[in-house]
Amino acid sequence: MKLGIVGLPNVGKSTLFNSLTKAGAESANYPFCTIDPNIGVVAVPDERLDVLTKMHNSAKTIPAVIEFVDIAGLVKGASKGEGLGNQFLSNIREVDAIVHVVRCFEDGNIVHVDGSINPLRDIETINLELIFSDIEIIERRISKISRGANNDKKLAAELEFYKRLKEFLEQGKLAKNFETDDEDELALMAECNLLTGKPVIYAANVSEDDLADDAAGNDMVSKVREYAKEEGSEVFVICAQIEQEIAELDDDERKMFLEDLGLSESGLDKLIAASYRLLGLISFLTSGETETRAWTIKEGTKAPQAAGKIHSDFERGFIRAEVVAYDDLIAAGSMVAAKEKGQVRSEGKEYVMKDGDVVLFRFNV
């Protein structure tokens, strides 16, 4: 899974990136301190892996991972070259979802590029820049196929579609709200990889005081939640500064620190949960002496396609999947005991994978 982090300058974007990835992207109280895109890979915390590693005495433990891409802070008019422009947006065209960091805290020591704190205005500013970037992509496509469309029905249909889509975007609307049931048009949309067609998770960055009650009394966060609900996006509350402190601690210290703050999970945990929900993702597990590993798949994935995540040969030569639910395996104490209780099932090609399935794939090529 790949997530792109966007936001205005000084909203806590790079501080959040640092805390999530411990990659040390420069973070300072002035715009554009992240001049080159920063990329960090983060392991998805999963306690089940530790338990299975001990059970099977695995030589290696390999978690699922998320790749974060942090780009320079956008400003109003970036598409026209303001600030650093929007040249960095190409770096997040390949991401699965966008994490939009929104400032929901007051602090006179940290300047806001627009002079005041207004999260909905900030969201609109970023959305417009993403829309302008998408329009640029569409205009290039229109220019490329215009000449050939005169003598080619297929190209003519594509051109007509791109013109409709451009007109839609020019009204300030997001690509994900463009309605079409036509499979060819949906395929063209997917090819364009439009930024405003991607799912969004809003990271409401609050002060430490607002963290414990999930910012229940913060009006700015309430407005972001209402906005996100209307467009079907996810929201999680975070204090980027606190997350950076948490990132420096080991596991035991982190747990105590979170408890002292009245929190049950870190911002990274919240973000991962929101990402999996928004993208409809689950994890299945494989475990043995060689390694214990988590694999991320879409909900609804059938066993052969899940096997293909491990190796294409597994999918091509799929015979069956030996599956046990993680909770059943742990309750039984071992794979042998789970088999004796009849909890290890032999599943065929139509089996739909579930979160926490511990699987051994049988295949022959």
Side-chain angles (χ1 to χ4, degrees), residues 45-72:
D46 193 334
E47 293 176 356
R48 299 174 299 191
L49 292 177
D50 297 329
V51 177
L52 290 174
T53 295
K54 286 176 186 170
M55 179 182 282
H56 295 114
N57 199 22
S58 306
K60 284 192 295 185
T61 307
I62 305 175
V65 296
I66 296 178
E67 186 174 304
F68 288 100
V69 183
D70 176 38
I71 65 163

Side-chain angles (χ1 to χ4, degrees), residues 78-182:
S79 56
K80 297 181 179 69
E82 293 296 322
L84 289 170
N86 63 6
Q87 66 265 41
F88 301 110
L89 287 176
S90 60
N91 294 299
I92 60 168
R93 286 217 173 264
E94 302 304 318
V95 302
D96 299 301
I98 289 173
V99 180
H100 185 162
V101 184
V102 188
R103 180 170 167 179
C104 295
F105 66 90
E106 297 279 358
D107 186 335
N109 296 316
I110 301 177
V111 296
H112 188 289
V113 286
D114 287 331
S116 61
I117 312 300
N118 184 335
L120 296 189
R121 178 200 59 207
D122 295 352
I123 288 171
E124 191 175 282
T125 297
I126 294 293
N127 280 347
L128 277 174
E129 296 310 318
L130 299 183
I131 286 169
F132 291 141
S133 181
D134 283 348
I135 288 172
E136 232 177 81
I137 296 290
I138 300 301
E139 284 176 339
R140 276 188 225 143
R141 296 227 165 195
I142 288 172
S143 175
K144 188 177 178 183
I145 66 173
S146 283
R147 189 174 296 174
N150 293 327
N151 305 309
D152 187 317
K153 283 185 179 179
K154 186 171 180 286
L155 287 180
E158 285 183 19
L159 181 61
E160 188 272 332
F161 162 71
Y162 287 134
K163 285 180 176 177
R164 275 192 293 121
L165 181 55
K166 182 183 174 222
E167 190 180 321
F168 183 84
L169 293 169
E170 284 173 341
Q171 293 168 24
K173 297 174 181 175
L174 307 179
K176 60 185 170 187
N177 296 324
F178 183 83
E179 292 182 9
T180 177
D181 294 324
D182 187 292

Side-chain angles (χ1 to χ4, degrees), residues 155-334:
L155 287 180
E158 285 183 19
L159 181 61
E160 188 272 332
F161 162 71
Y162 287 134
K163 285 180 176 177
R164 275 192 293 121
L165 181 55
K166 182 183 174 222
E167 190 180 321
F168 183 84
L169 293 169
E170 284 173 341
Q171 293 168 24
K173 297 174 181 175
L174 307 179
K176 60 185 170 187
N177 296 324
F178 183 83
E179 292 182 9
T180 177
D181 294 324
D182 187 292
E183 287 187 13
D184 291 337
E185 291 186 350
L186 289 169
L188 290 172
M189 281 269 281
E191 269 179 40
C192 293
N193 231 343
L194 299 177
L195 294 172
T196 62
K198 296 182 184 297
V200 176
I201 303 163
Y202 292 103
N205 190 13
V206 302
S207 65
E208 182 182 336
D209 294 339
D210 281 335
L211 260 187
D213 62 353
D214 208 30
N218 185 315
D219 288 341
M220 290 183 281
V221 174
S222 297
K223 287 175 181 173
V224 173
R225 283 181 169 135
E226 284 170 26
Y227 182 92
K229 190 177 179 182
E230 282 179 22
E231 67 168 36
S233 296
E234 288 275 346
V235 179
F236 74 103
V237 172
I238 197 166
C239 174
Q241 202 59 54
I242 290 293
E243 285 300 315
Q244 196 156 26
E245 291 178 36
I246 291 172
E248 304 302 321
L249 306 174
D250 63 33
D251 289 346
D252 290 338
E253 289 175 325
R254 188 178 297 128
K255 193 175 179 183
M256 286 172 61
F257 187 65
L258 287 170
E259 284 173 0
D260 288 345
L261 291 170
L263 303 174
S264 58
E265 56 184 355
S266 70
L268 176 59
D269 295 330
K270 289 180 187 175
L271 174 53
I272 289 169
S275 305
Y276 272 62
R277 279 195 305 271
L278 189 66
L279 297 172
L281 301 175
I282 60 172
S283 293
F284 73 88
L285 313 164
T286 55
S287 187
E289 285 185 13
T290 306
E291 69 176 31
T292 289
R293 185 164 183 165
W295 305 86
T296 303
I297 55 172
K298 282 264 189 190
E299 280 185 60
T301 300
K302 291 183 178 178
Q305 287 69 51
K309 286 285 287 186
I310 299 174
H311 197 285
S312 57
D313 284 350
F314 283 32
E315 182 175 357
R316 192 157 51 90
F318 180 88
I319 299 171
R320 68 180 186 277
E322 293 178 7
V323 184
V324 58
Y326 170 81
D327 289 341
D328 290 341
L329 176 58
I330 301 312
S334 70

